[in-house]
Amino acid sequence: MQRYSGFALARHALSHHENWQRQWRNPTPKKAYDVIIVGGGGHGLATAYYLAKEFGVRNVAVIEKGWLGGGNTARNTTIVRSNYLWDEAAALYEHAMKLWEGLSQDLNYNVMFSQRGVLNLGHTLQDMRDIQRRVNANRLNGIDGEVLDAAGVQEIVPILDCSKRARYPVMGASWQPRAGVARHDAVAWGYARGADALGVDILQQTEVTGLKIRDGRILGVHTNRGDIEAKTVGCVTAGNSGVLAGMAGIRLPLESHPLQALVSEPLKPILDTVVMSNHVHGYISQSDKGDLVIGAGIDGYNGYGQRGSYPTVEHTLQAIVEMFPIFSRVRMNRQWGGIVDTCPDACPILSKTPVKGLFFNCGWGTGGFKATTGSGHVFAASLAKGEMHPLAAPFSIDRFHSGALVDEHGAAGVAH
Amino acid sequence: MFHIYCPYCEEWREEEEFHARGQAHIQRPLDPETCSDEEWGDYLFFRDNPRGIHHELWVHSVGCRKFFNITRHTQSYEILETYRMGELPSVTAESVLPSAATAEASVANEKTEEVRA
Ligand SMILES: Cc1cc2nc3c(=O)[nH]c(=O)nc-3n(C[C@H](O)[C@H](O)[C@H](O)COP(=O)(O)OP(=O)(O)OC[C@H]3O[C@@H](n4cnc5c(N)ncnc54)[C@H](O)[C@@H]3O)c2cc1C
Ligand SMILES: [Zn+2]
């Protein structure tokens, strides 16, 4: 792998930038691998990268039915934070946060991780009590956080309407300064390039159509390009996980819903942090390109259409304009949806299954982008050892029968 | 935007008058005291999530406020029927695609086993 550097940039300038190496190969599938990862989103690619880099498992294939990051990974609003309430979730997301902080260096790829801070607004007394509690819990877990009053919020975001005139006045917020955003495509590409350099085969345009199971053990996958064998298979297919599980006769406690986002025409820099409000339900940041990136809620019904409904957009924009009257004349440029797999406790599933060698990493719902690094890391460890990593263990499917749920609805950000 | 026929109001109304409440026809265990943790967990948390025909519970929340059922395709989003509580769907995955459903099942598993999550 050619490394990116200032020197390389200068050297390639001499040949008019026409000889840069391809970022990853396009190999033909082998007959067998040690590990197959189904799903070439950020989580799947990160899993493959850490498998090769940290756990020495290099005979790995990532199988992706479309193109890299074409699922939720490059459809999200790119918010990264770790201010979750419960110890189990906080530990997992903070593990991810620490990896984010060194990711560009580790991958030799600029993922544009920008720690511009995240505000979670409170509009009622109960919101403020919940914020107080969550920030206290965060601090006990070594996660940065502060409770701000309305004046403190106004200081950080002068264009936010913090007046008493608002229909749902801003009473304060939680503030995580280390949180921020990252360029989502770059995350997928950086991991793909890193994994490929370590020998991982990335098979795009390859769809898993069935799972080969005999005597309670996984043997490989059926694809539209033929059968591929592996004794360890990790499914990381987000909104399609229920479909994959069905191929193994397994039921997951997941429901797939469209979640949508939209971006405005580009504006001059006006918002240098991330503002989220659970109460009126809208979240917004400004990309480095200048467009406002706005996240909506999920559609209330199950769906596999990657678009999302109009009433949800309308509801979201009402909330945004209520918070930021200054944006009322801004034109929206594009809108799209992703399919998120929501879990009853708003937490992911990282788990073994009753089929030996078959693992699932899913259920990240509306908030898994921030976990890409940590999810990939602990899932890779689990696949390499055959036992769930301690940070992943609380997120086993068993919890829906034992009752040991990790209820993160309050910190999840998107109502579902 | 859906236009939904409320089987109680017997009128077509816009989606925003309604609220989806998840999978339809979920039976509460008759004798919860004797349920195993497995059975109780399944009842509480495990739902069908098909890429295809789905039977759903909806409520006409700002209309007559009655609950009713919808059979809907989760990929095409087509609403195939709406029917009252206590009634059974006339359109099901089997009735629409009997051959395709069985073909898919046989591709999926070389040897189908009793596996549960
Ligand atoms: C609009 C929107 C906004 C969001 N905002 C945020 C946010 O601000 N912050 C945050 O943390 N999270 C956010 N999320 C959630 C986040 O995007 C997801 O949780 C995360 O990207 C999931 O990553 P993944 O790699 O598991 O899934 P994906 O990126 O969806 O990857 C799964 C891949 O599996 C592939 N696949 C599926 N079936 C098969 C098959 N049979 N064979 C082969 N390949 C298959 C798909 O093509 C896909 O590429 C948002 C999501 C959406 C939709
Ligand atoms: Zn009605």
Side-chain angles (χ1 to χ4, degrees):
Chain A
M1 179 178 84
Q2 278 177 7
R3 288 189 63 79
Y4 296 143
S5 64
F7 176 68
L9 198 61
R11 188 159 44 82
H12 278 284
L14 299 176
S15 55
H16 306 283
H17 295 290
E18 280 170 2
N19 299 312
W20 286 100
Q21 191 183 45
R22 290 186 69 164
Q23 298 194 45
W24 51 84
R25 296 161 299 132
N26 189 18
T28 20
K30 291 193 234 168
K31 278 250 158 321
Y33 292 90
D34 293 339
V35 179
I36 288 176
I37 309 291
V38 188
H43 289 222
L45 293 164
T47 305
Y49 173 73
Y50 292 118
L51 262 175
K53 179 170 175 254
E54 307 242 321
F55 305 99
V57 188
R58 296 192 170 200
N59 187 21
V60 176
V62 177
I63 303 185
E64 165 56 49
K65 70 174 173 181
W67 67 92
L68 299 184
N72 291 333
T73 292
R75 289 168 190 267
N76 64 63
T77 47
T78 76
I79 302 166
V80 174
R81 58 190 174 90
S82 61
N83 54 353
Y84 279 70
L85 175 66
W86 299 105
D87 293 352
E88 298 86 346
L92 186 58
Y93 289 104
E94 179 60 16
H95 180 56
M97 179 64 89
K98 294 211 170 96
L99 289 167
W100 279 113
E101 288 177 321
L103 190 63
S104 291
Q105 286 75 14
D106 182 24
L107 294 176
N108 176 235
Y109 205 94
N110 186 3
V111 300
M112 296 164 76
F113 181 51
S114 158
Q115 292 176 293
R116 59 186 69 180
V118 169
L119 286 163
N120 289 85
L121 302 182
H123 301 264
T124 66
L125 278 176
Q126 187 59 45
D127 281 354
M128 291 313 297
R129 288 186 198 110
D130 291 341
I131 282 170
Q132 189 79 250
R133 179 179 179 211
R134 186 159 43 79
V135 169
N136 287 341
N138 290 159
R139 288 187 163 200
L140 287 171
N141 277 318
I143 295 168
D144 60 320
E146 259 178 76
V147 180
L148 302 179
D149 61 11
V153 174
Q154 188 77 84
E155 203 171 305
I156 295 174
V157 194
I159 58 169
L160 182 69
D161 181 4
C162 290
S163 72
K164 293 263 176 340
R165 284 188 316 273
R167 183 161 175 201
Y168 299 102
V170 173
M171 298 184 75
S174 72
W175 169 237
Q176 186 182 15
R178 274 164 73 239
V181 294
R183 172 74 199 275
H184 45 14
D185 307 277
V187 172
W189 299 334
Y191 272 122
R193 173 168 168 269
D196 176 88
L198 294 166
V200 172
D201 278 1
I202 298 170
L203 311 173
Q204 295 182 75
Q205 307 290 333
T206 310
E207 179 166 5
V208 170
T209 52
L211 299 173
K212 255 173 124 163
I213 297 166
R214 195 172 296 134
D215 300 328
R217 156 156 261 314
I218 190 88
L219 297 177
V221 299
H222 302 290
T223 79
N224 58 349
R225 294 170 75 186
D227 293 1
I228 308 176
E229 286 168 25
K231 289 241 157 60
T232 303
V233 174
C235 293
V236 199
T237 50
N240 282 298
S241 298
V243 178
L244 266 286
M247 294 175 186
I250 297 171
R251 246 183 134 196
L252 295 174
L254 295 176
E255 293 193 277
S256 298
H257 293 262
L259 173 67
Q260 56 193 319
L262 48 160
V263 294
S264 74
E265 57 190 338
L267 310 177
K268 286 187 178 173
I270 189 164
L271 181 62
D272 63 359
T273 185
V274 181
V275 180
M276 310 182 65
S277 167
N278 277 9
H279 194 88
V280 297
H281 206 280
Y283 41 107
I284 185 165
S285 64
Q286 186 173 22
S287 77
D288 295 342
K289 213 163 54 184
D291 32 20
L292 300 174
V293 182
I294 297 171
I298 60 169
D299 285 352
Y301 35 84
N302 292 25
Y304 288 90
Q306 287 179 315
R307 40 170 200 241
S309 67
Y310 183 74
T312 305
V313 174
E314 195 178 18
H315 176 80
T316 298
L317 289 178
Q318 282 166 358
I320 295 294
V321 172
E322 173 72 25
M323 291 192 285
F324 296 93
I326 192 175
F327 291 151
S328 66
R329 310 293 278 276
V330 175
R331 277 173 295 235
M332 292 301 135
N333 232 359
R334 305 184 280 127
Q335 170 272 0
W336 65 89
I339 305 304
V340 298
D341 44 351
T342 59
C343 242
D345 62 352
C347 272
I349 293 173
L350 292 142
S351 190
K352 295 187 188 184
T353 68
V355 177
K356 249 186 137 164
L358 178 65
F359 296 74
F360 271 85
N361 176 346
C362 57
W364 291 95
T366 58
F369 176 67
K370 64 176 76 67
T372 306
T373 50
S375 158
H377 188 260
V378 299
F379 198 53
S382 311
L383 294 178
K385 304 215 167 85
E387 282 305 323
M388 297 317 291
H389 184 281
L391 289 178
F395 300 98
S396 147
I397 312 176
D398 299 346
R399 72 182 191 271
F400 299 99
H401 289 134
S402 68
L405 305 187
V406 187
D407 189 354
E408 281 292 359
H409 280 280
V414 177
H416 54 73
Chain B
M1 168 92 75
F2 288 138
H3 282 108
I4 299 174
Y5 182 79
C6 173
Y8 292 100
C9 297
E10 301 184 330
E11 269 175 33
W12 295 89
R13 296 291 184 86
E14 286 187 355
E15 177 180 340
E16 284 179 285
E17 290 192 14
F18 299 87
H19 212 80
R21 300 308 309 245
Q23 188 184 336
H25 307 298
I26 293 175
Q27 291 283 343
R28 184 181 162 89
L30 285 176
D31 186 4
E33 297 301 322
T34 61
C35 274
S36 65
D37 288 352
E38 276 254 302
E39 288 164 338
W40 191 247
D42 283 354
Y43 162 66
L44 284 181
F45 301 122
F46 288 71
R47 299 290 179 261
D48 291 343
N49 189 26
R51 207 182 167 104
I53 306 270
H54 194 34
H55 306 293
E56 300 171 338
L57 184 65
W58 284 66
V59 57
H60 194 178
S61 36
V62 297
C64 64
R65 301 175 65 184
K66 288 199 169 100
F67 282 84
F68 64 98
N69 299 309
I70 291 185
T71 303
R72 196 173 58 86
H73 198 289
T74 59
Q75 224 174 345
S76 70
Y77 287 36
E78 192 184 350
I79 293 178
L80 299 154
E81 60 179 335
T82 62
Y83 53 100
R84 295 181 181 207
M85 296 305 292
E87 291 175 359
L88 288 175
S90 60
V91 188
T92 61
E94 294 74 39
S95 77
V96 173
L97 278 173
S99 52
T102 43
E104 202 173 309
S106 66
V107 175
N109 267 321
E110 292 205 330
K111 182 171 165 232
T112 316
E113 300 185 21
E114 235 343 91
V115 272
R116 303 227 70 193

